[in-house]
Amino acid sequence: MSWEELYSSAFKKVRDNIASVGRVLLAYNTNIDAIKYLYGRDLEERVNKEGVENVLPYSEELPERITSVPELLGSILWSIRRGKAAELFVESCSTRFYMKRWGWDELRMGGQVGIMANLLGGVYGVPVIAHVPQLSKLQAGLFKDGPIYVPKLEGGKLKLVHPSEFSGDEESCIHYIYEFPRGFRVLDFEAPRENRFIGAADDYNTNLFIRDEFKSNFEGLADSSELAIISGLQALTEENYREPFETIRAHLEVLEEKGIPAHLEFAFTPDETVRREILGLLGKFWSVGLNEVELASIMDVMGEKALAEKLLANDPVDPIAVTEAMLKLAEKTGVRRIHFHTYGYYLALTDYKGEFVRDALLFAALAAAAKAKLGDVRSIDDVVRAMDVPVNEKAAAVEGALVKEYGMKDGIGEIDGYQLSFIPTKIVAKPKSTVGIGDTISSSAFVGEFALRE
Ligand code: ADP
């Protein structure tokens, strides 16, 4: 079958079965995204004002967190030069104020939980329970209609309500997103592709604050769920990870005990200690989702420096290096499913077999292309509107390498007892937005897989 045919049939299968998926528990990070589309001249003027020599070092190597305006601007340049995403915590109040005055073009739902809640609950109609650390009116207004619930304590009793019915005006947690298109020019740099840099002015998600409603009632919340997706660990640091990690470990044990598959949405985690700790927790997860920067950063803490470099050396990313890295990760941690996504293709390594793994990836790629093309996907039927987006041509060479190395056929191969699934993605040439696209990919593929298992 051609990839177009595989795409079309995978979409139909997932659409017809998605209603069979039970409740998905989403924890822990939800915030408000303030999006700013960068202008070359504006950015250059700002860099010059701070002094190019003060800014450029951070475009070579990212700081661990942002404590000054030159660090902010340098980090933005780091992303532009590489066409790669990065996210850092903004610690200083004066830099937060600078960002606020620089302003934004639009406000959107942010945080993996928020984005996935809107996609799964608001678009696919899959019921979700979401952890929202702070539910301000602004935050509540960003949730779509649909089976999206947050726990609320009323007279000592736990109720599940839509965020718009929570009616407690808590704080707003704002993440500033600086987006740039492919070919964006500033100083001597040109962005090889569209992407963005994120500065988080947020003390709740960054400390992985977990609400009492979740802490004291987790068993009950888990009981009413079929799947779980965990995210938000990326913001932690060596100083603050211990307490939330204890809670997370306890939550994972509850999920494991109840046989609820949990997916970890790994995101760029600048702190090495935290990355190591996440690696230590990975065996408690069924599944993990990550991109090339994230996989390389894990290889780094596993002592696989050469492999880490290889993952970032080529465009498109060398699929043999990716497979090697995924195998090492699976063997070290025992995680059952690893879903890798990069610009142009996805790979999944699973300790179980079946075409449904590949088909779920295809559904996810279609959903991602729909999001890139339309900006907002309103219903599952909107997803199919990405069918006319062409399959990435560069992925043919990637597929060729996989066929040669692992005898892959129709995107499915076998290696060391694992199934390796591959798909070329559909790439939207002029995307409306790429924010949250990774979350769309990972949650669609994970939930899609369970829709197809039934
Ligand atoms: P995020 O942090 O937004 O979730 P990730 O790096 O995790 O970002 O995911 C970005 C992914 O989105 C890439 O790996 C790629 O597969 C996909 N993607 C990026 N740009 C496009 C595009 N223009 N069309 C389709 N898919 C895209």
Side-chain angles (χ1 to χ4, degrees):
M1 265 207 266
S2 72
W3 282 112
E4 291 299 345
E5 286 166 318
L6 290 169
Y7 260 105
S8 171
S9 115
F11 170 73
K12 284 195 197 98
K13 281 190 250 176
V14 175
R15 185 193 50 196
D16 294 347
N17 289 295
I18 195 109
S20 65
V21 180
R23 228 182 243 160
V24 185
L25 187 60
L26 303 171
Y28 300 87
N29 57 331
T30 307
N31 61 267
I32 296 162
D33 280 347
I35 297 129
K36 172 92 188 157
Y37 300 102
L38 291 168
Y39 284 95
R41 192 178 296 162
D42 173 37
L43 183 57
E44 200 156 322
E45 275 169 15
R46 286 169 187 275
V47 171
N48 286 331
K49 192 154 177 255
E50 298 302 319
V52 181
E53 68 287 1
N54 299 327
V55 172
L56 279 191
Y58 304 109
S59 80
E60 297 287 342
E61 198 177 339
L62 283 176
E64 280 211 347
R65 70 195 64 176
I66 290 173
T67 59
S68 69
V69 173
E71 286 183 2
L72 168 70
L73 299 173
S75 303
I76 293 174
L77 293 181
W78 183 96
S79 284
I80 293 171
R81 291 176 69 170
R82 294 163 180 79
K84 299 269 181 202
E87 175 169 350
L88 292 177
F89 173 57
V90 183
E91 196 174 59
S92 97
C93 288
S94 56
T95 309
R96 286 185 184 185
F97 186 55
Y98 178 94
M99 296 160 93
K100 198 170 175 188
R101 293 225 295 200
W102 194 357
W104 55 72
D105 297 303
E106 53 187 273
L107 291 178
R108 271 200 224 138
M109 174 61 85
Q112 285 125 330
V113 167
I115 290 169
M116 292 180 189
N118 273 349
L119 179 72
L120 298 177
V123 179
Y124 300 161
V126 172
V128 299
I129 300 175
H131 179 266
V132 188
Q134 286 291 287
L135 200 37
S136 66
K137 287 211 174 79
L138 201 59
Q139 180 76 75
L142 295 173
F143 280 95
K144 289 186 189 257
D145 291 336
I148 301 171
Y149 305 103
V150 291
K152 184 180 184 189
L153 278 173
E154 271 180 14
K157 274 207 157 168
L158 198 72
K159 275 183 64 181
L160 288 174
V161 300
H162 187 273
S164 58
E165 291 159 24
F166 183 81
S167 58
D169 200 16
E170 300 174 342
E171 278 184 49
S172 283
C173 304
I174 304 185
H175 293 201
Y176 294 86
I177 303 190
Y178 298 98
E179 288 221 5
F180 51 87
R182 186 192 320 191
F184 179 89
R185 282 167 181 274
V186 61
L187 303 171
D188 291 334
F189 309 131
E190 185 175 333
R193 69 176 47 130
E194 64 278 3
N195 222 320
R196 74 276 162 201
F197 172 79
I198 305 175
D202 165 2
D203 296 303
Y204 288 86
N205 291 289
T206 47
N207 288 305
L208 216 126
F209 169 77
I210 301 172
R211 302 184 71 99
D212 277 344
E213 295 94 326
F214 261 71
K215 277 193 182 157
S216 8
N217 304 288
F218 194 78
E219 291 239 356
L221 294 173
D223 272 334
S224 65
S225 306
E226 196 173 279
L227 296 170
I229 302 180
I230 305 292
S231 58
L233 281 59
Q234 69 269 16
L236 293 170
T237 64
E238 194 182 351
E239 290 80 42
N240 67 3
Y241 79 90
R242 286 185 184 80
E243 199 186 317
F245 257 71
E246 261 176 47
T247 313
I248 295 165
R249 190 181 296 275
H251 287 178
L252 287 173
E253 271 154 20
V254 171
L255 293 171
E256 207 173 29
E257 205 175 282
K258 296 183 188 295
I260 299 166
H263 171 88
L264 172 70
E265 188 52 13
F266 193 87
F268 184 69
T269 308
D271 192 295
E272 276 197 27
T273 308
V274 177
R275 227 183 291 149
R276 242 182 234 114
E277 291 293 327
I278 295 177
L279 194 61
L281 267 188
L282 216 52
K284 300 217 165 289
F285 287 94
W286 168 288
S287 161
V288 60
L290 31 67
N291 67 19
E292 70 275 20
V293 178
E294 294 150 9
L295 186 58
S297 74
I298 291 185
M299 287 302 115
D300 232 29
V301 295
M302 278 172 60
E304 301 284 347
K305 307 271 180 209
L307 192 50
E309 269 173 35
K310 231 173 165 185
L311 289 170
L312 299 178
N314 296 311
D315 186 16
V317 183
D318 174 3
I320 311 303
V322 174
T323 305
E324 224 181 284
M326 291 197 301
L327 275 173
K328 284 192 197 293
L329 188 59
E331 257 142 38
K332 184 179 169 75
T333 61
V335 67
R336 302 193 59 190
R337 173 180 180 275
I338 302 173
H339 175 187
F340 170 84
H341 62 85
T342 185
Y343 196 83
Y345 72 92
Y346 308 160
L347 280 173
L349 188 79
T350 47
D351 74 357
Y352 46 88
K353 298 182 172 60
E355 288 186 349
F356 61 92
V357 178
R358 177 204 60 200
D359 289 345
L361 297 184
L362 287 165
F363 171 71
L366 203 58
K371 176 152 175 87
K373 180 180 166 182
L374 307 170
D376 189 35
V377 177
R378 289 157 311 170
S379 74
I380 196 162
D381 289 312
D382 264 357
V383 170
V384 82
R385 289 171 62 195
M387 268 311 285
D388 64 353
V389 177
V391 170
N392 172 32
E393 281 172 16
K394 283 192 189 164
V398 174
E399 188 178 4
L402 291 165
V403 169
K404 193 164 158 238
E405 193 77 20
Y406 309 119
M408 184 168 268
K409 194 171 174 299
D410 282 339
I412 296 179
E414 215 185 301
I415 173 165
D416 294 357
Y418 292 91
Q419 174 170 302
L420 183 66
S421 310
F422 159 85
I423 66 144
T425 64
K426 288 172 173 279
I427 295 282
V428 177
K430 289 204 173 77
K432 280 227 172 121
S433 170
T434 60
V435 180
I437 228 178
D439 307 335
T440 300
I441 295 167
S442 296
S443 60
S444 299
F446 181 62
V447 171
E449 206 181 288
F450 284 88
L452 296 179
R453 273 163 177 266
E454 244 81 23

